[in-house]
Amino acid sequence: MSEERTGPEDGEPGCDSNELRRKVARLESECQRLKVLKATNRGLARANARAAELVAEVELRDAEIEKLNTALAAANARAATLMADLELNMEELARSNQELERFAFAASHDLQNPLRTIAGLVSVVLRTSPPETPPAHVRHLTLAREEAERMLRMLSDLLEYSRLHAGDLRRIPVDLDDLLDQVLIGLSVAIEAEQARITRAPLPSVLGYRTPLGRLLQNLLSNSLKFRGTEAPEIHVSATETEEEWVVSVEDNGIGLDPADSERIFQMFQRLHPNSTYGGTGMGLAFCKKIVDLHGGRIWVDSELGKGARFSFSLRKAGSPGLPTVADNG
């Protein structure tokens, strides 16, 4: 009797392997999707935490910025107050300078006449003194006359110094080479007397006050001729260029000076030597400084005792900050 294959009974659901595999696949896919969702949720949680940290940092920065803005506003208010005070002080300083200059003008002008009278009277006494006048009296009278005349020269320089104003001058293009030619002509007698040798390099054209600049060069050259050493004076005039200015130098082989005195010599009536050794009023370099100040520049000296001196001054180029580019009338 042959065997018969057994199978599901009629009415019993069949077990389809393909369907089972599909279900398994769906389950695996669902599991994978759940894993992805969990990972995404963890990423979102971390992102939310970081966002919260950033929000806290932004709020902290906002608070700091607010403090800085408050401090900046206070600083601006303080700066505005200081600027107002500075402008007021500048106005007061300008008034004080004007009053001082008027006083210097009046004092130097009014004192000259009495001094002229004294010098004149002493000269008369000297001329009319009998031969038997004691030599000591003659020396005393001569000294009195010389001192009165020196005081007159000092007052004259002070009067000229007080009159030196930018507002009274006209700023024009100045050829320093041409100006130096004229200064050397004016000093030709002194140059020949001292047997001085003067050399020069090309000088620039600048925008400035011609007459004071001529006085500046004249004073510096005269200074080099006066304070000569044992050898004949050798003086060199040159100029170097920087981005915003020209630096003009007058260098000599004279007696030089102590570096400790390099600032004091530019003050009024400051002298490093007795009047009996080197004459003058002590105003020459003070004039130089005031002239350079009028041009918005600087003046200084490089020197050592017995090794000559190099006086230098700077003149800003036309177009430099604070300097007009065209001539102006003051």
Side-chain angles (χ1 to χ4, degrees):
M1 193 173 176
S2 60
E3 294 181 357
E4 294 183 357
R5 295 182 64 181
T6 60
E9 298 180 356
D10 292 341
E12 184 177 327
C15 184
D16 189 338
S17 60
N18 291 332
E19 179 67 20
L20 183 59
R21 281 193 294 272
R22 285 193 294 271
K23 288 181 179 179
V24 170
R26 283 197 297 271
L27 287 173
E28 291 176 348
S29 176
E30 187 67 20
C31 288
Q32 186 64 31
R33 190 174 69 83
L34 289 174
K35 290 179 181 179
V36 171
L37 287 175
K38 288 180 179 180
T40 302
N41 286 337
R42 287 195 296 270
L44 289 174
R46 287 193 295 270
N48 287 335
R50 180 56 181 160
E53 292 176 358
L54 292 174
V55 168
E57 290 180 6
V58 169
E59 291 175 348
L60 180 61
R61 296 291 175 84
D62 286 343
E64 292 175 352
I65 290 173
E66 183 64 27
K67 290 180 181 178
L68 290 174
N69 286 336
T70 302
L72 181 60
N76 286 336
R78 177 59 177 164
T81 301
L82 290 175
M83 285 298 296
D85 292 343
L86 179 60
E87 291 176 358
L88 181 61
N89 289 336
M90 290 295 289
E91 291 175 359
E92 293 177 353
L93 179 61
R95 285 195 296 269
S96 297
N97 285 339
Q98 290 175 356
E99 292 174 359
L100 181 61
E101 287 164 356
R102 284 196 294 268
F103 171 77
F105 176 85
S108 57
H109 182 271
D110 294 345
L111 287 173
Q112 286 189 64
N113 286 333
L115 281 170
R116 287 195 189 97
T117 301
I118 293 171
L121 290 174
V122 172
S123 296
V124 170
V125 172
L126 281 171
R127 284 197 308 269
T128 59
S129 294
E132 61 272 16
T133 301
H137 291 181
V138 174
R139 286 197 304 272
H140 294 159
L141 289 171
T142 301
L143 179 62
R145 183 185 62 187
E146 290 174 351
E147 288 301 306
E149 291 173 346
R150 188 169 74 89
M151 183 62 72
L152 278 171
R153 291 193 297 271
M154 293 176 67
L155 289 174
S156 177
D157 282 348
L158 181 60
L159 184 60
E160 186 177 354
Y161 185 88
S162 67
R163 286 173 169 170
L164 189 57
H165 295 282
D168 300 329
L169 304 169
R170 185 170 185 265
R171 196 190 299 270
I172 60 174
V174 180
D175 183 342
L176 293 183
D177 261 327
D178 177 67
L179 189 60
L180 180 58
D181 288 339
Q182 296 184 28
V183 170
L184 291 176
I185 291 173
L187 292 173
S188 58
V189 173
I191 293 171
E192 184 176 354
E194 297 293 341
Q195 297 181 335
R197 178 173 175 265
I198 297 181
T199 58
R200 56 194 288 184
L203 299 182
S205 292
V206 298
L207 195 64
Y209 307 117
R210 183 177 180 85
T211 300
L213 285 175
R215 175 71 178 271
L216 171 63
L217 290 173
Q218 177 182 308
N219 283 9
L220 293 178
L221 288 168
S222 298
N223 202 66
S224 293
L225 292 171
K226 178 192 292 187
F227 297 103
R228 56 170 294 175
T230 55
E231 300 178 355
E234 293 186 2
I235 304 170
H236 182 64
V237 184
S238 62
T240 57
E241 183 179 10
T242 68
E243 184 176 349
E244 293 185 351
E245 63 185 12
W246 284 98
V247 176
V248 180
S249 298
V250 177
E251 187 171 3
D252 62 54
N253 63 339
I255 62 174
L257 58 97
D258 189 332
D261 296 319
S262 60
E263 294 185 6
R264 184 167 69 91
I265 58 173
F266 294 106
Q267 300 173 11
M268 290 191 300
F269 304 123
Q270 292 298 313
R271 300 173 54 85
L272 303 182
H273 307 278
N275 193 58
S276 58
T277 306
Y278 295 99
T281 62
M283 287 291 291
L285 292 176
F287 266 107
C288 292
K289 185 178 187 309
K290 186 167 185 179
I291 291 167
V292 173
D293 287 345
L294 287 176
H295 289 81
R298 300 167 292 117
I299 186 169
W300 66 96
V301 61
D302 299 295
S303 180
E304 292 183 30
L305 283 173
K307 296 185 178 181
R310 183 175 70 249
F311 285 86
S312 302
F313 60 90
S314 65
L315 297 173
R316 288 182 291 175
K317 295 178 180 177
S320 295
L323 190 67
T325 55
V326 295
D328 63 275
N329 290 319

